[in-house]
Every structure is written in C-alpha cells, then in structure tokens.
Amino acid sequence: MTMTATTDRTLPDPADRRAAAHAFIAGQARWRWPEAVFWLVAAASLVIFPHSLVLAAQVLIAGLFALSLDLILGLGGIVSLGHAAFFGLGAYTAGLLAAHGWNEPLTGLVAAGLVAGLVGFATSFIVVRLKGIALLMVTMGVALLLHEVAQKAHAITGGDDGLQGISMAPILGLFSFDLYGRTAFIYTLAVVFACFLVARRLYNSPFGLALKGMRENGRRVPAIGGSIRRHSALIYTIAAVMAGIAGGLLAQTTEFVSVEVLGFQRSAEVLIMLVLGGAGLLYGGFVGAAVFLVARQILSGIDQTYWFFWLGLMLVLVVLFARNGLLGGAKALLARWRRA
Amino acid sequence: MTSALQTAGLCRNFGALAVTQNVDFVLPVGARQALIGPNGAGKTTFINLLTGLLQPSAGRIRLGGEDITALAPEMRVRRGLVRTFQINTLFPALTPLEAVTLARLEQRGASRRWLGALSGQRAAIDEAYDLLERIGLGADALQETRSLPYGKQRLLEIALALACEPRVLLLDEPAAGVPARESAELFEVIARLPRDLSILFIEHDMELVFRFAERITVLVAGAVLTEGTPAEIASDPQVRQVYLGSAGHG
Ligand SMILES: Nc1ncnc2c1ncn2[C@@H]1O[C@H](COP(=O)(O)OP(=O)(O)O)[C@@H](O)[C@H]1O
Ligand SMILES: [Mg+2]
C-alpha cells in the first residue's frame, strides 16, 4: 500500500522490526514504578498506620474482591450484580471449617477458593449465555438464593447473628493472630499480593489477550476461531475462586461470618468500588476500595447520612469527569501532561 | 470438479422479507469467484449464513465433505471457512501485531493459557509478524489499529482472516470505501494468495471483478440470477438489464 504513517515506532529494517515486535509484547508485562510504590506503601502501612491495621486489612480484602470483579467486568465484559455469592461462599467455607475444628488458615483458604470456584464453574454455563438485564438478574438471583439459604440454615450458619466459635490456628503453625491485627494484616497482604500476581500474569497471558479482544470487539472473536462462551466461562470461574479467597480471608481475619457476606449490598459495594477506582486496570479495585472504605470510616463517623451523600456525589463526579474511574482519570491526566 | 463449499436450497427470511431464496451454490476448490448483485441483493446475508452468524430458515451448507449447517461460527473457522467484513470489524485498541497474534493463538489452541506469559508464545508472535510483513503491514504492526489509515485497516481485515489458515476465504467487499487506486492494490494482494485457497469475493467495481474473477455469480433479490465466466456474464442480457435498470449499487 502507498500510505505510510511514519512514527517513532516505525523501524526501517524488517529484522529490527521483528525484534521490536517481541520487545513490544514483553514490554507490556514489565513492572512500572507506580506499581512498586503501591505495594511498598501497602506494606509500609505496618509502620505508618500501626493503629489502623484492621482497616488496612479490610481495604486489601475488599480490593482483592474488587480485583476479582475486575477480571470478569473489566477484562471479560460480564456485568455481575451478584458477585458477593462467591465472596460469601468463600467466607462460609473458611468460617464453617474453622468453627468445626479445621482452623489451619492456608488450607482453609484453598477450600474457600475451591468451593466458590466450583459454584462459579457450575453457574458459568448459564451466565455466559446471557446479556444485559437477563445477566444482571441471574447473577443477582444466584446471590439472593444463597443469601436466603444461609438465612434459613440458621442452625448451621448462625444467620444474621453470625457464625460463632471461629478461632484460627497460627499461620504455618508459627504466627498467631494478635489483638492489634498485625498478623492478620501481614497474612492478608501476603495472600492478596499472591493473588494479585496471578491476576497480573493472567492479564499479560495469551488468555489476557483473548479477553482484551473480546472486550474490544466481541463480533470478531468467533470470526478468528475464538469461543466467547468458553473464554467467558473460564474467566468467570477464575474470578469466583479469587472472590472466594477474599471471602475466606475476611472470615479468618475477623473470625466472624454473617449472612451479610452474601447480601446484595456487598455485591453493589464491590461494583461501586471498582467503578470508582477504574475497571480493566488491575489496580482500580484497590484504589476504589481504599477510597471507599477510608471515606466511609471518616464520614460515617460524623453522620451516617453524610456518608451516603458524599458517596453519591463522589460516584456522580467520577463517572461524569473521569472516564474510567479515579485511576483511569489519573492516567489520562498523566498522559496529557507528558504530551504537553 | 470438487467443491470447497456448497449450499443446497439455502433460504433466509427476515419477517416477511425473503433475503436468501433457495440458493444452490458451488464454490470449486481453488476458485477465484465473485459474488455480485445490486445493493440489498442479500450478498452479505449469504456470507453471514455461510459463516454461521445467521441461521438459515431452510437448506444445508457443506464445507468440503462435511455438513456444517448447525456448526457454531468459530467451529467453521477452525475447519477453514474464514471471512472478512464489509464494515471494519477489528480490535480498535489492539495493535495489528496483537490482533493477528490472537488469531494465531486461537488457531494453535493456546488462547486460554492464563498462567504463562504472552511473550512466551514466540512462535505465534513470529507467525503474526511474518504475516503482517508479507501483507505490507510490517511497519505498522505496533500502531494502535484505530490510528491506522483506513486502507491499512482494510488490509488488516484480510490479515486477520489469513491468520486463521483458511481453506475457503469469503471477502465481503474487501475494498469497500477505499479509493480506486488503492483498491486495485488491495486486489493485487488477494491475487497473490496461494492457488489452493478457494476465494469468494463480493465487489461492486466491475473492472476489478472482471480482472480478478474467473467465475461470477449474480445475486438479485436473494436468488441466484445466473452464474458463469466473466465473458458469459458480460454478455448476459438479464444481467445487463439488472445493472442498467438499477442506477445505484453501493
Ligand atoms: N438483520 C436484518 N434484519 C432485517 N433485515 C435485514 C437484516 N440484515 C439484512 N437485512 C435486509 O436484507 C437485505 C439484504 O441485505 P444485505 O445482505 O446486507 O445486502 P447486500 O450485502 O447485498 O447489499 C436488505 O434489504 C437488508 O435491509
Ligand atoms: Mg453487503
């Protein structure tokens, strides 16, 4: 063809260009310095906010939960109004195991992820066939159903009163959970970081590319031999496992579970956190969770109605002015500033 | 003559509108065949039926020896029936390299690997890059698709299809919206494709059709009007009437 767009990425020699192609793909997975800053700050909470470690752990857990939603929404393009189903399943699995004597934390978490993942896998076959309102209703329906079951099974779950008698064994048999939440925080940070690494790897994997393709143009995917349903089912299942681990972490670190973990409010809040932080960016869920929970802590301390007012205002402003949440907005600003 | 692709009694209605009417169609192996007809004749619909984007109201489709009428679109692609789109259907935020790599990964059955790095798929990336280089997009491989000039996006449409290792290639107006001189270049690219590849293309520019097609099928109001060599079609009074009778075809 005759038209040639000369840009900084145009290299004259095909051999160089082929090397550049590989370098381009590899470069996308490279760690950026803001990522290092993010995790260093998270770890430094231990010394910076020694009296707010419980809140810090909550932020990490909510962030992991939002990250799992980001996998299906931001990457897979599946909107769910019932993601708490998997969070709650994980929480109850870890909680019930511990309450009945299996209180080793790590295996408890694995079980939480497995149970949530199994239900995610089972429901994925319905979910991937749906779009729009039907998808919202079914995802919400599954969570409501589980919520109702947990409510009715008061004898087992404790219902609204909560599951009593959870007491966790020391982690790896060495580190006991303490009153200040130090062990809980470190444990949470380690698990959340490990899960994040998996999500990040997925993001930069062949499957991550397939999901980006799906998000960019679902119509083309079958035309290049890809199955939207099978892709969607896989990401839905992986996200369910991750949500289950987040739920398990909550149950273990707070040593408490109530039906609220399966509630609609939890599904709605995680969606708000992700939208607030920015979907499809890996870190949006953490940013959203931090802003959401810290703001709630401060504002609802003043007045409960205050919190809803400011949350509403914040949501409206972010959706109106930052195209993809706080993180997306910050990225856009940074890009503009660099170009100027 | 063995057929690469064949339909028998293919029909499709949209409500009361019969858009495909009892089409018996044969695409021989190695064909360079054009599908022509006035705007709204049902050419795109026919390709949508062949590729499984639409389900026929009646009739069968065979690819090689196999009945594929009930097969999902992606399964037809895996069997070598691949198309391009009249209106760009690309991945705007991906680079051509990523898009074609994805097509290669789907072909290799590697698109659901989620614990390995994409950069580890060196063979798929090499194949994608080589294909882009061959088709003349080597210098643009790392640009966002949406930033490419329109003509190059049309080329990428074809590159994505070629990445699927087609045995039968269906090109829906590959040069739609491209200026005349560039569309000739686009067809040169198509003409250089391997001879064992069977190609059906839709095109409105009769000069291009007569230059690149060895056989021509004429579709009017969803039904096959006639089929023949370019010389036969050019002298067919029915075809003349359709084309002289209808002023616009776009
Ligand atoms: N999804 C649809 N629903 C209803 N009518 C359609 C649909 N797709 C195409 N048509 C109609 O079918 C006819 C053929 O369209 P099309 O196959 O795009 O024609 P061509 O590609 O030959 O220009 C047109 O009259 C068009 O309006
Ligand atoms: Mg058309």
Side-chain angles (χ1 to χ4, degrees):
Chain A
M1 305 249 52
T2 44
M3 54 239 146
T4 4
T6 319
T7 70
D8 48 334
R9 278 193 186 147
T10 314
L11 293 163
D13 177 28
D16 290 346
R17 291 210 294 248
R18 179 195 271 257
H22 284 285
F24 174 79
I25 300 281
Q28 285 180 325
R30 201 159 293 138
W31 284 82
R32 312 281 193 279
W33 64 263
E35 298 186 86
V37 170
F38 176 89
W39 290 107
L40 284 175
V41 167
S45 302
L46 212 51
V47 279
I48 309 174
F49 314 110
H51 303 296
S52 306
L53 289 179
V54 172
L55 177 64
Q58 302 284 316
V59 167
L60 286 171
I61 291 169
L64 177 61
F65 184 32
L67 171 63
S68 75
L69 182 65
D70 200 9
L71 291 182
I72 59 168
L73 178 65
L75 273 178
I78 305 168
V79 192
S80 170
L81 268 185
H83 202 44
F86 306 116
F87 185 86
L89 278 170
Y92 270 114
T93 303
L96 284 169
L97 277 177
H100 292 88
W102 187 272
N103 59 1
E104 197 287 311
L106 285 174
T107 46
L109 270 193
V110 171
L114 275 180
V115 169
L118 273 175
V119 175
F121 179 69
T123 50
S124 72
F125 294 95
I126 314 164
V127 166
V128 300
R129 280 172 167 74
L130 304 173
K131 278 195 189 110
I133 300 289
L135 179 61
L136 292 182
M137 290 305 117
V138 166
T139 50
M140 190 166 77
V142 169
L144 286 178
L145 208 92
L146 289 171
H147 183 263
E148 205 48 37
V149 169
Q151 191 87 268
K152 285 271 144 55
H154 193 281
I156 302 166
T157 63
D160 279 322
D161 306 325
L163 182 62
Q164 309 293 330
I166 302 175
S167 164
M168 299 313 297
I171 295 155
L172 302 171
L174 297 171
F175 309 102
S176 311
F177 287 90
D178 56 289
L179 266 174
Y180 309 99
R182 276 179 67 89
T183 306
F185 174 79
I186 296 170
Y187 173 56
T188 301
L189 180 63
V191 171
V192 169
F193 186 61
C195 289
F196 173 80
L197 288 181
V198 171
R200 194 180 187 283
R201 174 38 82 78
L202 184 151
Y203 192 81
N204 295 305
S205 70
F207 185 49
L209 180 61
L211 293 174
K212 282 168 206 159
M214 238 168 70
R215 188 176 51 173
E216 281 294 304
N217 194 343
R219 205 176 147 78
R220 187 73 197 220
V221 172
I224 56 171
S227 166
I228 302 252
R229 282 186 185 171
R230 291 188 60 193
H231 291 345
S232 302
L234 177 57
I235 195 63
Y236 198 72
T237 304
I238 295 170
V241 171
M242 206 166 270
I245 292 175
L249 270 178
L250 183 76
Q252 293 182 341
T253 55
T254 59
E255 300 191 331
F256 180 78
V257 189
S258 82
V259 287
E260 165 276 329
V261 291
L262 287 161
F264 177 70
Q265 187 170 347
R266 200 167 269 278
S267 293
E269 277 179 3
V270 72
L271 190 59
I272 291 174
M273 288 178 196
L274 183 61
V275 170
L276 210 54
L281 303 166
L282 277 182
Y283 286 89
F286 290 107
V287 171
V291 170
F292 185 100
L293 291 177
V294 171
R296 182 167 72 184
Q297 176 96 346
I298 295 167
L299 293 171
S300 61
I302 305 169
D303 184 343
Q304 188 64 31
T305 50
Y306 242 68
W307 159 236
F308 287 117
F309 172 80
W310 287 107
L311 175 64
L313 188 65
M314 199 155 60
L315 257 182
V316 170
L317 290 179
V318 164
V319 170
L320 283 181
F321 295 108
R323 195 166 330 142
N324 190 9
L326 294 169
L327 204 55
K331 270 191 154 177
L333 275 182
L334 200 69
R336 196 187 297 173
W337 175 69
R338 277 199 183 136
R339 252 181 274 125
Chain B
M1 182 182 75
T2 46
S3 78
L5 183 67
Q6 195 171 347
T7 71
L10 204 65
C11 297
R12 170 73 202 208
N13 309 314
F14 287 120
L17 184 69
V19 188
T20 306
Q21 301 194 49
N22 205 28
V23 172
D24 297 316
F25 170 85
V26 176
L27 186 73
V29 171
R32 294 293 181 272
Q33 191 155 332
L35 180 64
I36 66 169
N39 204 10
K43 303 182 295 296
T44 297
T45 302
F46 183 58
I47 292 205
N48 286 343
L49 289 170
L50 292 176
T51 52
L53 240 56
L54 285 174
Q55 280 302 311
S57 321
R60 315 299 307 173
I61 306 165
R62 297 182 77 83
L63 177 69
E66 188 190 7
D67 190 318
I68 58 163
T69 317
L71 228 53
E74 63 269 20
M75 300 313 286
R76 302 183 194 204
V77 172
R78 300 223 185 125
R79 283 164 173 71
L81 177 61
V82 188
R83 70 172 299 173
T84 66
F85 292 83
Q86 179 175 354
I87 298 162
N88 279 350
T89 305
L90 302 166
F91 307 110
L94 298 188
T95 62
L97 179 71
E98 290 168 307
V100 177
T101 299
L102 175 56
R104 292 303 310 145
L105 291 168
E106 294 289 4
Q107 294 313 300
R108 292 167 149 268
S111 63
R112 264 186 296 279
R113 299 215 178 130
W114 59 280
L115 280 173
L118 177 63
S119 57
Q121 300 287 328
R122 296 194 68 86
I125 297 168
D126 275 338
E127 288 162 359
Y129 177 74
D130 291 345
L131 173 58
L132 289 168
E133 191 69 59
R134 235 182 307 132
I135 209 167
L137 287 172
D140 309 282
L142 308 184
Q143 306 281 347
E144 260 191 10
T145 296
R146 63 169 136 237
S147 74
L148 294 180
Y150 181 75
K152 293 199 168 181
Q153 297 198 14
R154 293 310 286 166
L155 263 182
L156 182 55
E157 269 286 337
I158 298 173
L160 274 178
L162 292 177
C164 301
E165 297 173 352
R167 288 190 291 142
V168 176
L169 186 58
L170 310 172
L171 301 165
D172 193 353
E173 302 198 30
V178 175
R181 201 169 60 85
E182 282 176 32
S183 58
E185 288 177 35
L186 242 157
F187 268 92
E188 292 296 344
V189 170
I190 295 164
R192 284 197 300 270
L193 294 173
R195 270 314 312 204
D196 58 345
L197 180 59
S198 314
I199 300 177
L200 176 71
F201 66 91
I202 299 173
E203 177 52 52
H204 280 301
D205 183 332
M206 284 305 148
E207 201 191 312
L208 289 172
V209 169
F210 284 109
R211 203 155 97 211
F212 290 98
E214 290 162 4
R215 285 191 81 77
I216 299 172
T217 302
V218 185
L219 199 69
V220 175
V224 175
L225 180 71
T226 181
E227 203 235 273
T229 64
E232 286 164 3
I233 296 298
S235 60
D236 189 309
Q238 276 182 296
V239 177
R240 280 164 172 258
Q241 202 197 336
V242 168
Y243 272 84
L244 295 177
S246 70
H249 49 257

